[in-house]
Amino acid sequence: MPLADFLKVLDEEITPHVNPREVLIILSGGEVLMREDLEQAGMEITRRGYPWGMVSNGLALTEERLARLVKAGMKSLSISLDGFEEEHNYVRGNRQSFARAAAAVRAASRHPELAFDVVTCVTPALIPRLEAFKEWLIGAGVGEWRIFSIFPAGRAKTDRTLQLSAEELKEVLEFIRRTRKEGRINLSYACEGFLGKYETEVRDHFYQCAAGVSVASIRVDGSISGCTSIRANYHQGNIYKDRFWEVWQERFTPFRDRSWAKAGRCAACAMWRYCQGGGMHLRDEEGQLMYCHYEKLNQALIK
């Protein structure tokens, strides 16, 4: 998408309706550093009064480019680091990925003006090394850390080594709970699903899927949806044929009224009032839930 097309939507269809200082714009991908005009985009967004940040795999985030992005007004940064070299490179499929991402993490830690965190997709191979990885992050100057599990879509649908068992998910949550009590690094579980008894113990807030409620996205092809984590073919309009603000106001009902999701395995669940059917990114092409954290945790308790 040409930058001018995004800025036109921002100027004509978003800014008239909001206070820019209260809307955070996140640039993500794919890999956002592939854009050669990223610094220009940041400066234009900053000039319009919006805070902005980005999510990156860190592969191309050199100290020099990081400095340019901060100068362009970048306020927040998330870097994906999925463990030590062996675990991270297996997930990322690139032998250079860990070294470069680790260097990017260290560089970002030297910018106290940034709201910076590390995001980790935990695999079974990392679990025995979580304590050591925590110490590595603290030593690298990281103060904020988020953990995800990998749900069964894409490559993870067939690669079982990427998916946590019920017991492993529980072990990860217990690790998060212990780490939060230590107070040496602010660790939380991501906004993926309802966690039963672990709610409020492994996050700073009670579970909610914010997609389409307080979050909207414009994809690289112009598609308008609730969150970039949702499958790419699920969208409610396109900036090249629709007005963004009209889509936000009128077409996001599936995100804001989740009664349609109270079906299948969710139909009789006693936790529906808290969960509302889980994260929208966990729904498949037919709208069926691919992964239920609460169900998986109950499996661990039964065993």
Side-chain angles (χ1 to χ4, degrees):
M1 180 192 299
L3 174 59
D5 295 355
F6 173 77
L7 293 176
K8 181 180 179 182
V9 174
L10 196 61
D11 290 340
E12 298 179 4
E13 302 176 38
I14 299 177
T15 301
H17 304 282
V18 303
N19 179 349
R21 293 190 298 274
E22 296 177 354
V23 177
L24 175 64
I25 295 178
I26 297 294
L27 307 179
S28 65
E31 177 47 51
V32 68
L33 289 171
M34 295 292 288
R35 290 196 69 112
E36 295 180 357
D37 63 351
L38 184 58
E39 289 86 344
Q40 181 188 354
M43 287 188 287
E44 291 293 341
I45 293 168
T46 298
R47 187 167 65 84
R48 287 159 170 80
Y50 291 89
W52 70 275
M54 74 174 190
V55 180
S56 173
N57 63 23
L59 194 63
L61 189 59
T62 61
E63 290 194 42
E64 293 75 19
R65 189 152 202 207
L66 177 59
R68 294 200 302 270
L69 291 167
V70 170
K71 187 176 180 180
M74 183 170 69
K75 303 297 184 187
S76 73
L77 171 63
S78 294
I79 295 177
S80 296
L81 195 62
D82 301 322
F84 293 109
E85 187 168 18
E86 182 179 355
E87 300 86 21
H88 179 84
N89 288 353
Y90 178 75
V91 173
R92 299 288 157 174
N94 186 317
R95 288 181 295 178
Q96 299 179 12
S97 186
F98 175 79
R100 293 190 181 184
V105 165
R106 294 188 185 97
S109 296
R110 293 192 286 271
H111 283 267
E113 71 275 27
L114 281 176
F116 165 60
D117 71 348
V118 166
V119 178
T120 299
C121 290
V122 174
T123 55
L126 178 61
I127 291 177
R129 308 184 74 187
L130 275 172
E131 286 287 347
F133 188 54
K134 174 189 71 178
E135 296 300 329
W136 186 94
L137 290 172
I138 292 171
V142 176
E144 304 284 334
W145 184 21
R146 278 182 295 153
I147 278 181
F148 289 76
S149 56
I150 302 176
F151 59 92
R155 175 179 153 207
K157 192 171 184 177
T158 55
D159 188 346
R160 301 295 299 179
T161 66
L162 296 176
Q163 298 180 32
L164 301 181
S165 68
E167 291 78 10
E168 287 165 339
L169 175 60
K170 180 182 176 183
E171 189 173 349
V172 169
L173 296 180
E174 289 289 346
F175 167 76
I176 296 173
R177 183 156 63 177
R178 291 195 307 270
T179 298
R180 288 170 67 86
K181 288 180 179 179
E182 290 175 359
R184 298 170 60 220
I185 185 171
N186 187 20
L187 173 60
S188 63
Y189 192 75
C191 56
E192 286 204 289
F194 177 69
L195 301 173
K197 70 174 187 177
Y198 289 100
E199 285 297 329
T200 73
E201 293 193 63
V202 296
R203 294 191 186 103
D204 294 334
H205 54 82
F206 197 84
Y207 169 73
Q208 180 196 28
C209 178
V213 179
S214 58
V215 175
S217 66
I218 300 174
R219 298 185 183 276
V220 69
D221 64 351
S223 297
I224 303 168
S225 188
C227 175
T228 53
S229 294
I230 299 169
R231 66 183 192 276
N233 65 352
Y234 186 76
H235 49 81
Q236 287 65 47
N238 191 291
I239 64 167
Y240 292 112
K241 61 181 182 180
D242 303 298
R243 301 286 293 178
F244 176 90
W245 196 254
E246 290 178 4
V247 174
W248 170 256
Q249 291 289 324
E250 301 172 8
R251 301 192 195 175
F252 274 23
T253 302
F255 299 111
R256 298 166 187 170
D257 177 2
R258 299 287 293 275
S259 57
W260 60 268
K262 196 173 185 355
R265 62 209 284 191
C266 295
C269 181
M271 295 297 111
W272 168 264
R273 60 181 293 193
Y274 307 112
C275 179
Q276 295 285 298
M280 286 289 287
H281 68 291
L282 300 177
R283 298 275 165 177
D284 66 14
E285 300 284 338
E286 285 74 44
Q288 298 299 310
L289 189 63
M290 294 183 286
Y291 186 98
C292 175
H293 293 74
Y294 180 70
E295 184 179 75
K296 189 151 237 178
L297 288 169
N298 277 343
Q299 292 172 10
L301 291 174
I302 291 170
K303 292 180 180 180

